[in-house]
Amino acid sequence: MGFVRMEENIGMPPKSLFEAMDAHIGERAADGRFVDGGGLYGTEDAVNFVVRQGEVTRVDGPYAEGKEVVGGWAIMEYPTVEAAIADHEVFAQLHADHWPEVTVISTLRQISEGPEEPTD
């Protein structure tokens, strides 16, 4: 799974990035690597439930203390971790090429199929 963290309220990406992403995702959807993904709205309507010391507390956004938000996500399928890393670098480079004035952190994580055994 890949996701993109960025500053909130930095505006819309340039049209060239949208076009490059459409081509990038289209190629991966055509060969079966792209499973699902999309963008996320801002945190102004977000709802969090915080579990702390056995109690649940609801916390609604916006979050003035937050400096970054998750702006989008994608679930991809690769034959190897190395292939996933190489392709994720291509994805990050698209942002560098088409929206160089912003800081974007593009993270690749493996989806867990576990845990094998729950802890007691």
Side-chain angles (χ1 to χ4, degrees):
M1 170 180 229
F3 60 95
V4 174
R5 291 179 287 156
M6 59 182 48
E7 289 179 49
E8 193 163 29
N9 301 319
I10 58 173
M12 292 297 291
K15 184 178 179 182
S16 67
L17 180 58
F18 275 102
E19 292 169 350
M21 292 303 298
D22 283 347
H24 180 81
I25 292 169
E27 291 170 8
R28 282 138 188 88
D31 67 19
R33 284 179 283 172
F34 181 84
V35 177
D36 198 6
L40 299 172
Y41 289 109
T43 61
E44 62 273 6
D45 296 324
V47 176
N48 286 318
F49 290 94
V50 178
V51 179
R52 182 177 297 132
Q53 298 180 338
E55 298 209 11
V56 176
T57 305
R58 179 179 167 163
V59 181
D60 297 341
Y63 310 101
E65 70 279 2
K67 296 187 187 275
E68 296 176 343
V69 296
V70 176
W73 58 279
I75 297 175
M76 311 286 280
E77 211 170 305
Y78 296 93
T80 65
V81 171
E82 292 77 18
I85 292 169
D87 200 45
H88 202 71
E89 186 171 2
V90 172
F91 173 83
Q93 187 64 49
L94 289 176
H95 288 76
D97 292 344
H98 295 278
W99 205 11
E101 64 272 23
V102 300
T103 299
V104 171
I105 300 170
S106 184
T107 302
L108 178 67
R109 302 273 305 266
Q110 292 186 60
I111 296 175
S112 170
E113 295 179 6
E116 303 281 326
E117 296 281 330
T119 57
D120 291 329

